[in-house]
Amino acid sequence: MKQMLVFICVICFCMNIMAQKREKYEFMRNLPVYADSLMADLTYPLAWGNNDIKDFGVWKRTARQKVFDCMLTPPPAPANGYDVKVLFEEQRDGYKARKIEIRLSRYYTVPAYVLIPDGKGPFPAVNALHDHGAHLFIGKEKMIRPLACEDSTVIKDAEAWSVGYEGQFFGDYLAQNGYVVFSADAPMWGERGQKEGARRDRYDMIAGNMMMYGIDLSAYMTYDDISGTEYLASMPEVDANRIGCTGWSMGAYRAWMLSALSDRIKVGTAVCWMVTTDEQMGFKYSRTENGGFANCFPGLRRWLDYPHIASIACPKPMLFINGSQDKLFPVSGVKKAFKTMHDTWKSQHADDKLETELWDMPHSCGKKAQRRILEFFKKHL
């Protein structure tokens, strides 16, 4: 009885602590109260046209290097190449599906799926980049239907998650249309998660701990996307001159980031992830950015905004689709970002290669969007 009373007292004390508020404060709604002043001081001095660099090629190299500088320490390259192991293979309708384990760094191996069309290659290829969704239990399985070797829980979870793609696995759809497709787990997703189980609230804590090693977890995701694309280019079934990338939500962020930082990528497509910081990180809207460390490079916003970084991909063919009913990205911020990118592509006489579209849809990547991306790849890839 005494132990029970102590337990109840502790619970009550903790609840009171959680409810305590001070009359004066400096943060609210996950932002500093001076957020608007912070944004007013963001001048993006390294954006194209905001500095005295007139040669676009020089600007691209300079801006790209600044992005890499803000990505902190890269993962060390594997000592003996990718060291790929095929763990399982099955035949599907018109293509083979493989589960592989690939060494992308001296520190770790990465589980991935690869789809290879039947017939004689080499084929065009796509790096299919999975979303965030605050759901970390699966990663690559969001883009490609799980192989038969997977646990039934994984298979059921992937089937349920495919609702956001209208029940169609995007990677399989591309493979059925003649593309080699690669999709890997990002750090903290799928088979690269936490031993104790997949929990969104642990992501930021682990990312903070990684920074104590001088490592940015979001940057590791991007570095792995670059290395995964290099592996894709090395496959004998792949035409290394025809590689694209695509993704929805965080996968879209990954897609335009990869397009900006990797010359291997010739065409990029992104669904539901583009905005400007001033519309995303202020008190104007009831919801502010909560991807946290999943798309954060230290100090980068002092130099470049999201559309400025995506513009490093210019003059590549790029397709951006956002939804007017998407509550994650305010339409005004999407339109500003689209204009910024069009101004860049226009400056290089390449505006016909940039397509930006605002659809009447929520945060989703259904069959219509997937068809649109396939058309874009067929046209440019």
Side-chain angles (χ1 to χ4, degrees):
M1 185 66 177
K2 183 177 180 180
Q3 289 179 328
M4 179 62 71
L5 288 173
V6 170
F7 177 75
I8 292 172
C9 289
V10 169
I11 293 296
C12 291
F13 177 76
C14 290
M15 290 177 67
N16 287 332
I17 290 293
M18 290 174 62
Q20 285 181 319
K21 296 180 181 180
R22 297 293 297 267
E23 184 177 347
K24 298 188 71 174
Y25 55 86
E26 195 167 324
F27 297 86
M28 65 179 185
R29 285 177 46 196
N30 300 326
L31 295 174
V33 295
Y34 46 86
D36 292 339
S37 296
L38 285 176
M39 288 190 297
D41 287 340
L42 296 178
T43 59
Y44 309 117
L46 204 49
W48 174 244
N50 283 5
N51 50 75
D52 58 2
I53 301 176
K54 304 303 181 184
D55 184 296
F56 192 71
V58 173
W59 173 78
K60 283 185 63 165
R61 290 191 295 273
T62 305
R64 180 182 283 184
Q65 186 56 56
K66 178 57 69 176
V67 176
F68 279 123
D69 290 344
C70 293
M71 288 168 67
L72 305 182
T73 309
N80 300 305
Y82 294 117
D83 188 25
V84 179
K85 297 178 181 178
V86 177
L87 304 179
F88 191 83
E89 183 173 296
E90 64 187 30
Q91 182 65 40
R92 296 184 176 177
D93 186 15
Y95 57 99
K96 291 191 295 292
R98 289 178 185 160
K99 181 176 184 179
I100 65 171
E101 189 173 78
I102 178 172
R103 180 164 292 282
L104 294 184
S105 166
R106 179 164 51 84
Y107 293 154
Y108 50 78
T109 58
V110 175
Y113 287 160
V114 180
L115 306 180
I116 304 172
D118 296 341
K120 183 176 175 55
F123 303 99
V126 175
N127 193 341
L129 306 154
H130 70 72
D131 61 68
H132 186 306
H135 186 67
L136 282 65
F137 182 66
I138 54 174
K140 59 191 179 298
E141 301 89 357
K142 295 179 177 183
M143 299 300 284
I144 293 175
R145 185 182 296 279
L147 276 69
C149 62
E150 302 295 359
D151 183 89
S152 61
T153 306
V154 172
I155 295 173
K156 289 178 182 178
D157 195 71
E159 291 285 354
W161 194 256
S162 71
V163 171
Y165 297 85
E166 284 191 48
Q168 179 169 270
F169 286 89
F170 196 4
D172 293 74
Y173 176 64
L174 292 170
Q176 289 167 349
N177 283 276
Y179 294 84
V180 172
V181 181
F182 173 88
S183 190
D185 289 334
M188 284 295 290
W189 272 266
E191 295 175 277
R192 301 182 70 186
Q194 189 177 9
K195 178 181 179 181
E196 293 80 5
R199 286 178 52 181
R200 166 64 183 91
D201 62 348
R202 293 291 181 181
Y203 184 94
D204 293 342
M205 183 179 293
I206 290 173
N209 285 340
M210 293 290 278
M211 282 191 171
M212 298 298 287
Y213 300 108
I215 291 168
D216 182 76
L217 193 57
S218 176
Y220 261 41
M221 177 173 67
T222 300
Y223 279 124
D224 287 349
D225 290 342
I226 294 170
S227 296
T229 304
E230 290 295 326
Y231 164 69
L232 192 56
S234 74
M235 292 178 59
E237 299 91 346
V238 170
D239 181 345
N241 294 312
R242 291 192 294 160
I243 299 178
C245 63
T246 192
W248 166 51
S249 195
M250 182 184 77
Y253 161 85
R254 295 168 67 188
W256 56 254
M257 184 68 72
L258 178 59
S259 299
L261 300 181
S262 172
D263 291 331
R264 287 288 188 188
I265 297 296
K266 306 304 180 185
V267 182
T269 65
V271 181
C272 291
W273 210 120
M274 180 47 68
V275 73
T276 53
T277 297
D278 64 333
E279 296 289 339
Q280 185 193 41
M281 294 294 291
F283 293 108
K284 184 177 179 181
Y285 302 97
S286 60
R287 188 187 189 284
T288 53
E289 211 292 319
N290 70 352
F293 284 104
N295 52 266
C296 174
F297 295 169
L300 183 54
R301 206 58 65 242
R302 290 284 159 178
W303 299 95
L304 299 158
D305 201 358
Y306 299 120
H308 304 140
I309 301 165
S311 292
I312 299 172
C314 178
K316 296 177 185 178
M318 296 287 293
L319 169 66
F320 292 84
I321 301 172
N322 268 68
S324 61
Q325 307 305 316
D326 189 339
K327 298 184 183 301
L328 303 187
F329 300 101
V331 170
S332 56
V334 174
K335 289 181 176 180
K336 285 186 198 176
F338 284 176
K339 182 182 184 303
T340 295
M341 292 188 293
H342 276 290
D343 287 345
T344 304
W345 262 259
K346 284 176 184 177
S347 76
Q348 301 309 303
H349 311 289
D351 198 45
D352 59 322
K353 293 182 180 178
L354 174 65
E355 299 187 31
T356 56
E357 301 173 0
L358 191 61
W359 292 12
D360 182 15
M361 69 176 192
H363 194 69
S364 63
C365 185
K367 294 180 180 179
K368 181 181 176 182
Q370 294 178 46
R371 284 196 301 272
R372 178 71 180 91
I373 289 168
L374 177 63
E375 292 169 1
F376 195 79
F377 281 147
K378 285 183 175 180
K379 178 180 178 181
H380 295 287
L381 198 61

